Structure formats: C-alpha cells, structure tokens
C-alpha cells in the first residue's frame, strides 16, 4: 500500500512540475505579442490609408509643391503627391477610419510596454538584485508608454502640438530605454547564451539609434526625397524597437510566481531575499520531516 501511495505522489509531483513548466513558458508569449500586434497593426493602418488614398505609397519618390486635386479625389494610375501625403506612420493614422485603428494600436502598445517593463523590472530583482539601470529602464519604458498614448490619440493634423509632444517624449525615451536594457543585459550576463542575447540587443540598439538620428535629420530638410527617406527610417526605427522588446522572451521563459511576489512586496529586493530565505528554510525542515511521515505508512 505504501508503494502505491508513493507512486501516486510521484505522479502528482510530475504533473504539477509539467504544469509549472508550461505556465512559465507561456510568459514568453507576452513580449512576443508586442511586435506581432504592433508591427502587424501599423502595416494594416498603412494599407488602409493607401487604399483610401490618404497617403502615397512608400515606393513613390515624386512629390509636388501643390496639386490640382487632393489625393483622395484623384483617379488614375499616376497620383499627384505633396508633402502632406508622405507615408509617415502618424500620417497614415491621421484620417478615419484608419485613425481609429491607429489609436487602438498605440493604446494597446502602450499597455504592453508598461506591462513588459514592469515584469522585466521585477524579474531582475528576483534573479539578481535591483540597480540603477533596472530602475531607469522601468522609468523610461513607462515614459515611452505615456508618449505613445499622446501621439496615438491626438492626430497630427488636428492636434499638432499634443501629437508632437507625444512624439518628442516617446521616441527619445524608447531609445534610452533600449540602451539601458542592453547595458543591463551585459551586466547580468553569466552564460554564453546570455552574452549572445546581449550582442543581439546591442546590434538592434545601434541600428535603431542610426535610424532615429537619420529620420530626425532628414525630417527637418526641405528636400522631398530626404523627407520621404525620413519616413522610411521612422518605419525601420519603430520595427526595431518592437523587435527589441520581443527579445525579452528569452528571459520571460524562466519567469515564475516569485516574480509576481516581488511586485506584491513593492519591488523591494531586500525584503524579497529575506522572505525567500525564510521560506526556503521552512521548506527544508518540511522535507527533512517527510521521510518520517512516509515511514509511519
């Protein structure tokens, strides 16, 4: 009878262990959902704007100072485009119906950035300890999320000041956030795999920085070609930032319930470590007393 009871206990432990591993692996879906949702969403918005002739195609490099008819009223294979029709991401989401989807996508992206940033912050405390880089990474991610809300819900043609304030907050803070996370990855890396993740993030960070600088410089120029190039670099920058957040799937695959316990304790590394040690000690006493219970069977 004791052997049967032990086998049942072993099966239950095995099932619980498999369930725990499955739940931990599901956390990796969260950071992957950000690039999937946002990149797919903004390209869908671009397709809608292109279909409604609110912007010109990305492959169009010919612009005019003015046109006889506005772009939505034009018919024919050759369209007359002005600077108002450059396919900047914000321009694609200016007019309805695509403006509604653009606001929805930016709001969803803002929420995911805040959630991923918070869980990343807690996981670093759980696995290692809190540091200035970790706190700064969380702060810049949340500032970026606030800017994303502004630029997504205040379209550039109708609330230009608020839109540019949002863009001025979101773009630099997102760049600073990925720089901090890249540095944090190298600081915490111990295995070869973790260093490779750091190399990947650093490469994406450098490409994003180059794209952001070129986009900003070209946007201020009077040349139609350079402003169109600015729009292309803006698209590249946004996709790189989203893909960067997707790389957190490497760490989120090891996430456990203890990460959430860090948040419930207010993110205090010291209190978490002391409570965790006390819990480990109590579990050790229980394990030591377990054979005596089995012997009584």
């Amino acid at each position: 009878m004791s052997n049967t009871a032990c086998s049942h206990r072993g099966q239950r432990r095995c099932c619980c262990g498999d369930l725990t591993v499955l739940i931990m692996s599901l956390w990796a879906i969260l950071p992957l959902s950000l690039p999937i949702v946002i990149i797919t969403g903004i390209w869908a918005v671009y397709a809608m704007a292109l279909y409604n002739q609110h912007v010109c195609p990305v492959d169009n490099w010919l612009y005019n100072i003015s046109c006889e008819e506005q772009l939505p009223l034009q018919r024919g294979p050759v369209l007359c485009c002005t600077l108002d029709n450059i396919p900047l991401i914000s321009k694609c989401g200016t007019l309805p119906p695509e403006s509604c989807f653009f606001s929805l996508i930016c709001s969803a992206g803002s929420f995911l950035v805040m959630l991923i940033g918070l869980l990343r912050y807690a996981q670093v405390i759980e696995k290692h300890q809190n540091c200035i880089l970790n706190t700064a990474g969380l702060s810049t991610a949340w500032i970026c999320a606030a800017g994303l809300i502004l630029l997504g819900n205040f379209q550039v043609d109708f609330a230009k000041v608020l839109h540019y304030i949002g863009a001025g907050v979101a773009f630099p803070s997102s760049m600073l956030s990925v720089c901090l996370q890249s540095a944090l990855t190298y600081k915490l890396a111990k295995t070869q795999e973790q260093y490779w993740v750091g190399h990947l993030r650093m490469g994406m960070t450098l490409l994003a920085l180059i794209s952001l600088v070129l986009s900003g410089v070209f946007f201020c120029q009077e040349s139609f070609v350079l402003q169109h190039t600015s729009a292309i670099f803006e698209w590249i920058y946004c996709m790189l930032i989203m893909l960067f957040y997707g790389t957190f799937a490497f760490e989120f695959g090891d996430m456990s319930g203890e990460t959430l316990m860090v948040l419930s304790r207010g993110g205090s590394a010291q209190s978490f470590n002391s409570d965790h040690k006390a819990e480990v000690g109590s579990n050790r006493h229980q394990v030591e007393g377990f054979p005596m219970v089995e012997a009584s069977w």
Side-chain angles (χ1 to χ4, degrees):
M1 180 177 178
S2 61
N3 292 334
T4 305
C6 291
S7 63
H8 287 315
R9 290 195 197 97
Q11 290 176 358
R12 284 198 296 270
R13 292 195 196 102
C14 183
C15 292
C16 292
D18 293 341
L19 181 60
T20 303
V21 172
L22 177 61
I23 293 174
M24 289 171 59
S25 61
L26 289 177
W27 280 107
I29 299 176
L30 180 61
L32 292 176
S33 65
L34 181 61
I36 292 173
V37 171
I38 302 303
I39 293 177
T40 304
I42 59 177
W43 278 106
V45 168
Y46 165 75
M48 293 173 63
L50 194 63
Y51 177 80
N52 294 318
Q53 292 189 184
H54 292 157
V55 296
C56 285
V58 174
D59 58 354
N60 173 74
W61 292 87
L62 298 176
Y63 291 91
N64 300 282
I65 298 176
S66 62
C67 297
E68 295 182 359
E69 291 183 318
Q70 294 183 352
L71 185 61
L73 302 177
Q74 298 178 28
R75 295 293 180 269
V78 180
L79 300 176
C80 178
C81 299
T82 65
L83 286 179
D84 291 333
N85 310 125
I86 290 180
L88 293 162
I89 297 178
S90 56
K91 275 290 185 180
C92 294
T94 296
L95 299 175
E98 52 266 22
S99 60
C100 304
F101 290 95
F102 183 68
S103 298
L104 179 62
I105 291 166
C106 288
S107 299
S110 176
F111 172 75
L112 288 173
V113 167
M114 292 180 66
L115 183 58
I116 293 171
L118 183 62
L119 291 175
R120 168 67 171 166
Y121 169 79
Q123 190 182 40
V124 170
I125 295 177
E126 177 210 343
K127 301 292 184 182
H128 307 277
Q129 61 181 358
N130 200 9
C131 59
I132 297 178
L133 283 176
N134 192 33
T135 305
L138 174 64
S139 301
T140 51
W142 280 36
I143 293 172
C144 171
L148 190 58
I149 285 286
L150 276 179
L151 71 88
N153 290 277
F154 295 95
Q155 279 71 33
V156 63
D157 286 355
F158 305 105
K160 184 172 292 185
V161 174
L162 289 175
H163 180 85
Y164 282 140
I165 290 175
V169 170
F171 281 90
S173 60
S174 61
M175 187 69 250
L176 182 58
S177 177
V178 297
C179 289
L180 292 170
Q181 290 295 341
S182 296
L184 185 61
T185 303
Y186 277 117
K187 180 179 180 180
L188 303 179
K190 295 180 180 179
T191 65
Q192 188 65 33
E193 181 183 3
Q194 292 171 345
Y195 276 106
W196 277 112
V197 173
H199 299 335
L200 174 63
R201 288 176 181 166
M202 183 58 68
M204 297 174 70
T205 300
L206 291 176
L207 290 176
L209 179 60
I210 294 172
S211 300
L212 180 62
V213 171
L214 292 178
S215 177
V217 171
F218 292 159
F219 182 76
C220 300
Q221 306 302 315
E222 296 182 358
S223 170
F224 297 158
V225 174
L226 291 181
Q227 291 202 28
H228 186 85
T229 306
S230 171
I232 294 176
F233 278 115
E234 182 188 58
W235 281 88
I236 294 173
Y237 173 78
C238 291
M239 288 189 288
L240 284 171
I241 296 298
M242 294 300 105
L243 291 173
F244 184 98
Y245 273 89
T247 62
F248 287 128
F250 291 106
E251 288 90 354
F252 278 37
D254 296 330
M255 189 173 294
S256 63
E258 293 177 351
T259 303
L260 303 179
M261 294 300 295
V262 173
L263 297 177
S264 67
R265 291 179 171 88
S268 175
Q270 184 175 1
S271 63
F272 173 77
N273 290 333
S274 60
D275 293 345
H276 183 64
K277 289 178 181 178
E279 183 179 352
V280 170
S282 63
N283 290 337
R284 185 180 302 166
H285 289 305
Q286 291 177 3
V287 171
E288 290 175 353
F290 187 73
M292 297 177 62
V293 176
E294 286 190 344
S296 64
W297 276 80

